[in-house]
Amino acid sequence: MPDDVSAYDDFPALRFERPSDGVLRITLDGPGLNAVGPDAHAQLADVWRAVDRDERARVAILQGAGKGFSAGGSFELVDSVITDEAARLRTMREARDLVVNVIDCSKPIVSAVHGPAVGAGLVAALLADVSIVGRTARIIDGHTRLGVAAGDHAAICWPLLCGMAKAKYLLLTCDPLTGEEAERIGLVSLCVDDDQVHGRALEVAEQLAAGAQAAIRWTKHTLNHWYRAQLPTFDASLAYEFLGFGMADAREGLASHQEKRAPRFSGPV
């Protein structure tokens, strides 16, 4: 069957479609503006291995349902990482798997970003081979606002994409970026009008699906050696991030988000 996605039954937190020949569309579709809970976090990390094995998928699109791409990790996920050592170690492993699996997936990945894009969803969006964003999209790496180091993915790719000066400014301050500004500084591939994001992503995916598959995949593989060369830097950032989740600033950061107030961090160690 042309629309059969039974190969992805092990990923119920994500939605799958085959909109055209060779194209698989993966949609983040959950409560809280597609916030990534514990199940979705694990599945978003592992799904790229399944995409790599899917003989019918030549290209994957990642998008969000409703009013935005993803609000990032859910309060449930963050609370479990702060309070439960086993959950912290499991989520840390998943966070590394997400980055490595996106990089190592042989099929090209196109991300389609509208509205807010934060956290684990943003990881896949920016590591995608082609990232397409709406003009009014809001891209935020909110780690330091939560009281932890910018781990996830930022150290492996932001300095390469937009330069060290911009990367430091944005990751230290957590200032939001519009889609237009993200394109201007090179953080994303293309910026289009908000109502054109998903259509343009499909056009790019179809173009790639119709191309020379070996040539496209080997080009992706070789270019991604730039990211692989930064894996030690990424590992350090991830370790510092999850070390921070065991400290008081992370508890205060989560509480301030839940109570919708400015955080009162404890100050330097």
Side-chain angles (χ1 to χ4, degrees), residues 82 146-147 243-254 264-266:
I82 289 173
L146 185 59
L243 176 64
F245 275 119
M247 300 174 68
D249 275 352
R251 295 192 292 275
E252 169 59 17
L254 176 59
R264 298 183 290 271
F265 293 127
S266 58

Side-chain angles (χ1 to χ4, degrees), residues 103-145:
I103 290 171
D104 285 346
C105 179
S106 65
K107 317 293 178 64
I109 300 166
V110 179
S111 61
V113 178
H114 73 292
V118 188
L122 182 61
V123 174
L126 292 185
L127 284 173
D129 305 294
V130 179
S131 49
I132 299 172
V133 303
R135 297 195 188 283
T136 66
R138 284 175 59 82
I139 295 171
I140 307 170
D141 188 285
H143 281 81
T144 61
R145 170 61 178 79

Side-chain angles (χ1 to χ4, degrees), residues 43-126:
Q43 292 171 33
L44 188 61
D46 291 344
V47 72
W48 307 107
R49 295 174 181 168
V51 171
D52 198 58
R53 294 189 299 267
D54 184 352
E55 294 181 357
R56 295 180 56 198
R58 297 192 291 274
V59 183
I61 297 173
L62 180 67
Q63 65 181 36
K67 296 182 179 180
F69 185 76
S70 176
S74 68
F75 289 155
E76 177 190 6
L77 176 65
V78 176
D79 182 69
S80 70
V81 171
I82 289 173
T83 60
D84 184 333
E85 182 179 286
R88 188 180 310 154
L89 293 175
R90 182 178 63 250
T91 306
M92 180 179 177
R93 183 183 66 250
E94 292 167 359
R96 190 180 194 280
D97 287 346
L98 172 55
V99 168
V100 172
N101 290 344
V102 169
I103 290 171
D104 285 346
C105 179
S106 65
K107 317 293 178 64
I109 300 166
V110 179
S111 61
V113 178
H114 73 292
V118 188
L122 182 61
V123 174
L126 292 185

